[in-house]
Amino acid sequence: MAGQTFALQVLVAVLVVGAGLVGAYGQAQRAGDEQAMARALAVARTVAATPSVVTAVEGPDPSAVLQPYAERVRVESGTDFVVVMSPSAIRYTHPDPAQIGRTFIGHTEEALAGGVVEEDYTGTLGPSSRVVVPVTDRGKVVALVSVGIRKAAVGERVRAQLPGLLLAGLVAALLSGLGTALVARRIRRQTHGLGERQLREMYEYYDAVLHGVSEGLVITDLDGRLRLANDEATRLLALPPDAVGRRVADLGLGPALTSALTDDAVHEDELHVTDARVLVLNRGPARWEGRLLGHVATLRDRTDLEALTGELDSARGLTEALRSQAHESANRLHTIVSLIELGHTDRALDFATEELQVSQLLTDRVVGSVDEPALTALLLGKAAEAHERGIGFEIEPGAHWPQGVAPTRDLVTIVGNLIDNALDAVAGGPGALGHDRHVCFDARVEGAYAVLQVADDGPGLPPGGVADAFRRGWSTKEQGSAGRRGIGLALVAQTVERLGGELEVSGPPGATFTVRLPVGPVSTVGSGAVGSADD
């Protein structure tokens, strides 16, 4: 590209300089002609106004007097001929004495009328620029004076200026070539020596790769402005069409994600929750030959993976609960058999009936309170998990949750995370005020909203922690479950906001999470919310 640019600039410079030389030569030629005509006119008028010339033309032998005078004027003025002639155009003087007495070759009519003749004409000395003026005496034309300069002489004077014109053109060409060479060198340096084909291929392949990769790619400069975002990043972050070139802080992203994309820290496998997705962020510096250009970040969509992980955690919890129940059932069965073998059949019957009543009472209360089958199964599984962990799980009397309030996966996300958070809050210690540890679930319809509550008698949130509880990465517990702490309540807040609901927290003592969702048809938009996850 630099070579082609250099060749083009040299060609343009040569053409411009050549055209300039031709124009300058033509202009010099025209100027020479005009100067020759003006000089001839001045000389002719001077001769015609000389009194001795008037006296001589009226004398007996005009040629004898005028020939020496005309030649002297011709030599001193640098003209090629000074011809004094009669009104009938008979020459009195001429540079070639043989032409004296012959008729002047040219036009004299306008001069005879008192005017001036200016013309290019070919006479005895060849082509010339000439003038003819009248010689008058008391208002009468008594003679004519013609002064001329040969065209060849004018051309010789112009050609004498040609070396200077050529030198000026050469200097201009050299300066243009030097400037073009410097520009070409700068272009090579800016393009790192890459040619036109290499630049085209690099752009095409890099653009195809950037927009074809399955991960989102975001590049920001040192001022926190977005410089590149591929198709996947635009989709994951819901960026506007004019996002490139704008500050990241003005793109409407969440505070945590905005901070992660604009600070100078290195981020590895960080989970960030947007309005509709769970993203894994990796970010580091972008350098070129040791110079920091900005930062590059990759984004992976973990929404579906988080859903599967949450469902797997729920399945594992339910499996553990069933295993524990199986173990307990075996113990109870052995106890009943032993009581029968010892002859205490009445006590064996009472013991079995009591256990069946407790289990059936919880099942009947859950089934009677919830019309959503998936939520019913979730509550029974969480009840079994709570029993296995030694935590009381209660369903408020009169609780009722209608079917069709929210998409099933969103509902499981909200209830599952809230109950998991409550179970973790009361695990490992006595309840508030020394009472037994327990978690309570309630559901009801209040006007245009369906309300569900999950309460626990744990230590509650720390002072000022209500706002932080729904921020990604915030947790009151140790890291666990594959680094998934601090995301459960953030997912709950995200899901509730997407469904157009409200989320409130009260306590201590304990903590009560209240969710209000508008009663309406189930929306499938954005129902890809994830399942249960640890807070």
Side-chain angles (χ1 to χ4, degrees):
M1 182 181 296
Q4 292 177 359
T5 302
F6 177 76
L8 177 61
Q9 292 292 336
V10 169
L11 178 61
V12 171
V14 170
L15 292 177
V16 170
V17 171
L21 287 175
V22 172
Y25 184 81
Q27 185 176 5
Q29 185 72 39
R30 288 191 299 272
D33 292 339
E34 292 174 356
Q35 291 175 1
M37 193 71 74
R39 182 149 50 94
L41 179 60
V43 173
R45 284 177 171 172
T46 301
V47 172
T50 302
S52 60
V53 173
V54 176
T55 303
V57 297
E58 293 178 346
D61 191 1
S63 295
V65 178
L66 295 176
Q67 176 68 9
Y69 172 73
E71 285 300 299
R72 186 173 66 254
V73 172
R74 179 182 68 82
V75 173
E76 292 177 355
S77 64
T79 57
D80 290 309
F81 63 86
V82 177
V83 175
V84 182
M85 69 192 85
S86 67
S88 59
I90 302 299
R91 301 188 187 101
Y92 295 141
T93 65
H94 196 277
D96 182 6
Q99 299 296 328
I100 296 175
R102 295 182 178 181
T103 302
F104 174 76
I105 301 174
H107 300 90
T108 61
E109 294 81 2
E110 191 174 349
L112 289 172
V116 177
V117 176
E118 294 183 0
E119 63 179 353
D120 292 335
Y121 203 85
T122 302
T124 57
L125 299 178
S128 63
S129 297
R130 61 176 65 183
V131 297
V132 180
V133 299
V135 179
T136 61
D137 183 18
R138 293 184 293 273
K140 179 182 178 183
V141 176
V142 297
L144 300 175
V145 177
S146 177
V147 178
I149 299 175
R150 291 180 297 114
K151 287 288 188 180
V154 176
E156 289 173 359
R157 293 190 183 96
V158 173
R159 285 191 291 272
Q161 301 175 8
L162 190 58
L165 295 175
L166 291 175
L167 179 60
L170 179 61
V171 172
L174 290 176
L175 291 177
S176 178
L178 178 61
T180 302
L182 293 176
V183 171
R185 181 180 178 184
R186 185 170 184 269
I187 291 176
R188 290 191 186 95
R189 185 170 63 252
Q190 290 180 331
T191 58
H192 304 291
L194 298 177
E196 177 187 2
R197 180 179 59 82
Q198 293 170 307
L199 288 174
R200 184 182 68 253
E201 290 181 352
M202 182 177 66
Y203 174 81
E204 291 175 351
Y205 285 116
Y206 282 17
D207 187 73
V209 170
L210 288 175
H211 293 285
V213 295
S214 58
E215 292 187 354
L217 181 65
V218 174
I219 297 179
T220 56
D221 60 16
L222 299 179
D223 296 328
R225 295 184 181 276
L226 182 65
R227 289 304 177 190
L228 186 146
N230 66 352
D231 297 342
E232 183 66 8
T234 301
R235 183 184 71 87
L236 295 178
L237 299 178
L239 297 177
D242 61 343
V244 176
R246 295 172 57 184
R247 298 183 63 85
V248 176
D250 299 333
L251 298 179
L253 305 178
L257 188 56
T258 299
S259 176
L261 290 175
T262 54
D263 61 22
D264 295 331
V266 176
H267 302 267
E268 295 183 357
D269 293 333
E270 285 189 358
L271 288 178
H272 287 267
V273 179
T274 66
D275 291 341
R277 301 185 184 281
V278 179
L279 304 177
V280 180
L281 171 71
N282 284 276
R283 184 171 181 265
R287 300 181 183 274
W288 170 259
E289 295 182 350
R291 180 166 59 95
L292 181 63
L293 301 179
H295 295 82
V296 57
T298 59
L299 299 167
R300 300 194 306 274
D301 190 356
R302 190 173 166 173
T303 306
D304 293 337
L305 178 60
E306 198 68 28
L308 294 176
T309 304
E311 292 174 3
L312 178 61
D313 285 349
S314 298
R316 286 176 176 174
L318 183 58
T319 301
E320 292 296 328
L322 292 176
R323 183 181 295 111
S324 176
Q325 284 187 343
H327 182 72
E328 291 296 323
S329 298
N331 290 335
R332 296 189 186 97
L333 182 60
H334 284 299
T335 301
I336 293 173
V337 171
S338 298
L339 288 174
I340 293 175
E341 289 178 347
L342 294 174
H344 302 291
T345 55
D346 293 339
R347 296 185 61 183
L349 181 61
D350 292 339
F351 180 78
T353 303
E354 180 182 358
E355 291 299 324
L356 288 175
Q357 287 177 345
V358 171
S359 299
Q360 189 62 38
L361 178 63
L362 178 61
T363 301
D364 292 343
R365 180 170 293 180
V366 171
V367 173
S369 302
V370 179
D371 295 337
E372 184 67 53
L375 183 57
T376 300
L378 176 66
L379 291 175
L380 289 175
K382 294 302 180 182
E385 179 183 352
H387 180 73
E388 188 269 336
R389 298 172 65 176
I391 300 173
F393 187 82
E394 300 178 2
I395 304 293
E396 285 290 340
H400 176 68
W401 184 264
Q403 190 175 12
V405 173
T408 302
R409 293 188 66 179
D410 289 340
L411 194 61
V412 170
T413 296
I414 296 172
V415 177
N417 278 292
L418 290 180
I419 293 179
D420 284 343
N421 183 73
L423 293 177
D424 288 341
V426 299
L433 304 178
H435 296 289
D436 293 337
R437 300 171 299 158
H438 73 281
V439 174
C440 181
F441 174 82
D442 188 15
R444 59 188 181 275
V445 176
E446 295 181 353
Y449 288 91
V451 181
L452 63 85
Q453 285 183 331
V454 176
D456 64 75
D457 58 358
L461 296 175
V466 174
D468 293 332
F470 303 103
R471 176 172 52 84
R472 182 210 61 81
W474 186 90
S475 178
T476 59
K477 299 176 284 299
E478 297 294 332
Q479 187 75 11
S481 186
R484 299 176 65 242
R485 293 289 189 193
I487 195 173
L489 292 181
L491 290 173
V492 171
Q494 165 196 299
T495 305
V496 172
E497 181 179 1
R498 190 178 68 251
L499 295 175
E502 301 174 356
L503 178 60
E504 298 177 358
V505 184
S506 60
T512 301
F513 291 82
T514 302
V515 176
R516 290 182 174 85
L517 298 179
V519 178
V522 176
S523 173
T524 58
V525 178
S527 62
V530 300
S532 168
D534 292 338
D535 164 36

